[in-house]
Amino acid sequence: MKKVSSTNLVYAFSSSMSPVLEVASGDQIVFETIDALGGQIKFEGDVINLDFSKVNPATGPVFIKGAMPGNTLKVKILKIDLAEEGVIVCEEGFGVFPELVKGFKAKMLRIKDGFVRFDKLSIPANPMIGVIGVAPENGHFTTGTAYKHGGNMDTKYVKTGSAVYLPIFQPGACLALGDVHAAMADGEVCVSACEVCANVTVEVELINYEIEWPLIETESGFFIVVSMGTVEEALKEVTYQAVKFLSRKLNLSMNSAYMLASLVVDIQISQLVDPNKTVRAYIPKYLFDGKGEIM
Amino acid sequence: MKKVSSTNLVYAFSSSMSPVLEVASGDQIVFETIDALGGQIKFEGDVINLDFSKVNPATGPVFIKGAMPGNTLKVKILKIDLAEEGVIVCEEGFGVFPELVKGFKAKMLRIKDGFVRFDKLSIPANPMIGVIGVAPENGHFTTGTAYKHGGNMDTKYVKTGSAVYLPIFQPGACLALGDVHAAMADGEVCVSACEVCANVTVEVELINYEIEWPLIETESGFFIVVSMGTVEEALKEVTYQAVKFLSRKLNLSMNSAYMLASLVVDIQISQLVDPNKTVRAYIPKYLFDGKGEIM
């Protein structure tokens, strides 16, 4: 199987990226990823001045032959193999409640048998990928930021068994991923999760269809994922996108689709702590007679 | 069983309310409720000038003997019996995406065998109570508004089998409820849900414990429910409340509890369309060794 080692790290998604591997639609790839702190924290008491230039590394990018702007890259998440120890950090001035922390704190977390150990508590692990994205249409987004190209969406449904759909903006797409979490809740309120090194196996596929924002598909439904500067903006945009999706798939007027969304589309929080905030709209598949295509 | 008929409607929760029934802790009560449009819409084509003074009626209030400020009222939802037809409306200038609608639209929705019929679609019903509250500490809140006293929280977990905990601010508490929905999704994006008349059976109980914001208890966890002027403010406050809850129940520093919240507390949207916006923090019970008390 093709593999990208964690010596190939990027700290930004930009419109001109330099691929480190070339694959074809249908290929499987293993990404070796390192934790979101760039491996800088090794011990419980590590109170260090974080080198922010090493935060949120993504492994890649991978060039997918035939990927062209206006099409969509489907990334099926096949497996997430976690390391045995993770770390969570918080820092004064960060998170949903920035006044709550003094200075910088780190806590090491053991991961075993599907649980994350937090003091005497055992938390069910929910392994997921924080950063997954492609080269954007224009400019340069740090890997800590999410937008239409994906990036730091910190969405817990980017997990084994799910498929992530990303709009392709540049030839070859240039897929990179990292920032795996062994456990995270919606909001990621303290600014980080159980940050962990992991090997991630995916299968890529090109889809001849155009999307505007990333989508996640699970067995039961679709999530449209929108990231913008404020949660208010993101909530409005994701609602609009969900209404458009229903209108198109079900051949409804926008007005009817808006009412239907009020009954069946859950508006949810992914993360509230990165430079752009990420929200999602959950659209259940039963509406489409079990037909599971995004088109 | 004690019953409050739908001739007893209030349109505001205020610090001085006039009870229509007196009950004791442990009593069961049936509330006859009418739909959130005040029964003004009877036919699909009804394009009327809504009388807003008749919108969001709540049935009650009920005086609970012995209820004193500083204690908590537990309201167990035992049963929600729906009428056979509901209505959904949207109006220009309302909802998450106010530009999406022109004028006023109403749609009648048949409810049968646990499903709501929307054109050719069958939507699983999720019967829930939109408005449930008590007399507030000060002043006057229209029943369309949610705050610490409860009110129009539009939270889909206020459903059969759940318990709602409300802070008591006035002697007798003065419980009123209404605005039942046969189906609603998180966000309630178009401004309304499947609005329906219903008979709601509850059991009330006084708890000698003080809470600041409403709580909902389900089999698996607690939701802290916060409603404020903007979703940003509400998200920050609900995060703080969840961290305080974890800190107290688990005897953790606020700092540790903040990290734990980032791993296990889901921050969720209830509604984005009422005068105050409502969000909730979900705290799973497994953290407390299955001990299901709020105290």
Side-chain angles (χ1 to χ4, degrees):
Chain A
M1 197 172 321
K2 292 181 172 173
K3 190 165 184 170
V4 194
S5 98
S6 62
T7 54
N8 302 110
L9 298 176
V10 294
Y11 298 91
F13 291 95
S14 75
S15 53
S16 63
M17 299 179 83
S18 304
V20 297
L21 176 71
E22 190 172 299
V23 303
S25 182
D27 279 358
Q28 296 188 359
I29 314 142
V30 179
F31 290 80
E32 250 183 41
T33 72
I34 64 168
D35 72 60
L37 288 314
Q40 294 179 76
I41 297 170
K42 301 278 183 226
F43 304 101
E44 187 83 27
D46 269 359
V47 180
I48 55 170
N49 288 319
L50 267 190
D51 178 351
F52 273 93
S53 75
K54 291 190 174 157
V55 162
N56 270 313
T59 301
V62 171
F63 187 97
I64 294 100
K65 278 179 277 190
M68 289 305 291
N71 288 349
T72 292
L73 180 64
K74 178 179 182 178
V75 186
K76 185 107 210 269
I77 317 297
L78 301 178
K79 199 157 69 155
I80 302 176
D81 283 322
L82 303 176
E84 289 175 353
E85 192 169 50
V87 60
I88 185 168
V89 297
C90 56
E91 187 166 7
E92 199 166 334
F94 290 86
V96 175
F97 210 87
E99 308 87 326
L100 214 146
V101 190
K102 296 281 165 256
F104 175 85
K105 311 271 177 184
K107 189 179 181 75
M108 306 309 294
L109 303 167
R110 296 292 299 169
I111 304 158
K112 207 180 164 190
D113 302 331
F115 287 88
V116 174
R117 194 81 183 168
F118 186 102
D119 298 339
K120 286 169 292 179
L121 293 167
S122 285
I123 299 168
N126 61 324
M128 51 154 282
I129 301 166
V131 172
I132 182 166
V134 294
E137 187 169 12
N138 296 301
H140 169 108
F141 293 84
T142 68
T143 42
T145 303
Y147 192 56
K148 293 187 177 183
H149 67 287
N152 196 14
M153 296 184 288
D154 280 331
T155 297
K156 66 185 186 186
Y157 294 96
V158 183
K159 62 176 187 176
T160 301
S162 296
V164 181
Y165 295 83
L166 298 165
I168 300 173
F169 297 106
Q170 304 295 339
C174 290
L175 175 68
L177 61 84
D179 185 26
V180 170
H181 302 153
M184 189 193 96
D186 286 336
E188 204 189 10
V189 295
C190 91
V191 85
S192 72
C194 178
E195 310 293 340
V196 64
C197 300
N199 287 347
V200 175
T201 310
V202 305
E203 183 178 301
V204 293
E205 185 186 341
L206 295 175
I207 310 271
N208 186 16
Y209 183 74
E210 186 165 13
I211 58 175
E212 194 173 342
W213 288 95
L215 275 157
I216 300 166
E217 182 180 359
T218 65
E219 203 175 329
S220 59
F222 299 103
F223 296 91
I224 302 175
V225 183
V226 166
S227 305
M228 297 181 82
T230 67
V231 70
E232 310 262 10
E233 285 174 279
L235 289 166
K236 188 169 176 181
E237 175 68 12
V238 87
T239 299
Y240 179 68
Q241 293 292 334
V243 171
K244 264 209 324 192
F245 189 97
L246 288 179
S247 165
R248 178 178 56 78
K249 289 271 287 183
L250 294 168
N251 197 25
L252 294 173
S253 71
M254 286 294 276
N255 223 305
S256 276
Y258 193 29
M259 286 177 168
L260 181 60
S262 210
L263 298 174
V264 301
V265 174
D266 284 322
I267 305 296
Q268 302 175 344
I269 300 288
S270 286
Q271 59 79 20
L272 297 169
V273 295
D274 299 326
N276 277 349
K277 314 308 173 202
T278 304
V279 303
R280 56 184 193 255
Y282 175 69
I283 302 172
K285 280 186 186 168
Y286 70 74
L287 295 170
F288 314 118
D289 261 343
K291 286 183 211 101
E293 303 92 32
I294 59 166
M295 286 85 86
Chain B
M1 196 171 321
K2 290 178 174 175
K3 190 163 185 172
V4 194
S5 97
S6 61
T7 54
N8 302 110
L9 298 176
V10 294
Y11 297 91
F13 291 95
S14 74
S15 53
S16 62
M17 299 179 85
S18 304
V20 296
L21 176 72
E22 190 173 300
V23 303
S25 183
D27 279 357
Q28 296 187 359
I29 313 141
V30 179
F31 289 78
E32 251 183 41
T33 72
I34 65 167
D35 72 63
L37 287 314
Q40 294 178 77
I41 297 172
K42 302 275 182 229
F43 305 100
E44 188 84 25
D46 268 359
V47 181
I48 53 169
N49 288 318
L50 267 190
D51 179 351
F52 274 94
S53 75
K54 290 190 175 158
V55 163
N56 270 314
T59 301
V62 171
F63 187 97
I64 295 100
K65 278 179 275 190
M68 289 304 291
N71 288 350
T72 291
L73 180 64
K74 178 178 182 178
V75 186
K76 186 105 210 274
I77 316 297
L78 302 178
K79 199 157 68 152
I80 303 176
D81 283 322
L82 303 175
E84 289 176 353
E85 191 168 51
V87 60
I88 185 167
V89 298
C90 56
E91 187 165 9
E92 199 166 337
F94 291 86
V96 175
F97 210 88
E99 309 86 326
L100 216 146
V101 190
K102 297 283 166 254
F104 175 85
K105 310 272 178 184
K107 190 179 179 74
M108 305 310 294
L109 303 167
R110 295 292 300 170
I111 304 158
K112 203 177 167 191
D113 301 330
F115 288 86
V116 174
R117 194 82 181 166
F118 186 102
D119 296 341
K120 285 169 292 180
L121 294 167
S122 285
I123 299 167
N126 62 325
M128 51 156 283
I129 301 166
V131 172
I132 181 167
V134 293
E137 189 170 10
N138 296 301
H140 170 107
F141 293 84
T142 67
T143 42
T145 302
Y147 192 56
K148 295 188 177 183
H149 66 288
N152 195 13
M153 298 186 286
D154 279 332
T155 297
K156 67 185 185 184
Y157 294 96
V158 183
K159 61 176 188 176
T160 302
S162 295
V164 180
Y165 296 83
L166 298 165
I168 300 172
F169 297 107
Q170 304 296 339
C174 290
L175 174 69
L177 61 83
D179 185 27
V180 170
H181 301 152
M184 189 195 95
D186 286 336
E188 204 188 13
V189 294
C190 92
V191 85
S192 71
C194 178
E195 310 293 340
V196 63
C197 301
N199 286 348
V200 175
T201 310
V202 305
E203 183 177 301
V204 293
E205 185 186 340
L206 296 175
I207 311 271
N208 187 15
Y209 182 73
E210 185 163 14
I211 58 175
E212 195 173 342
W213 288 95
L215 278 156
I216 300 166
E217 182 180 359
T218 65
E219 204 174 331
S220 60
F222 299 101
F223 296 90
I224 302 175
V225 183
V226 167
S227 306
M228 296 179 83
T230 68
V231 69
E232 310 264 9
E233 286 174 279
L235 289 166
K236 188 168 177 183
E237 175 68 11
V238 86
T239 299
Y240 178 68
Q241 293 293 334
V243 171
K244 265 207 326 190
F245 189 98
L246 288 179
S247 166
R248 177 177 58 78
K249 289 270 288 184
L250 295 167
N251 198 24
L252 294 173
S253 71
M254 285 294 276
N255 223 306
S256 275
Y258 193 29
M259 286 177 167
L260 181 60
S262 210
L263 299 174
V264 301
V265 174
D266 285 322
I267 305 296
Q268 302 175 343
I269 300 287
S270 286
Q271 60 77 20
L272 298 168
V273 295
D274 299 326
N276 277 348
K277 314 307 172 201
T278 304
V279 303
R280 57 184 193 251
Y282 175 69
I283 302 172
K285 279 186 186 170
Y286 70 75
L287 296 169
F288 314 119
D289 263 343
K291 286 183 210 101
E293 302 92 32
I294 59 166
M295 287 86 86

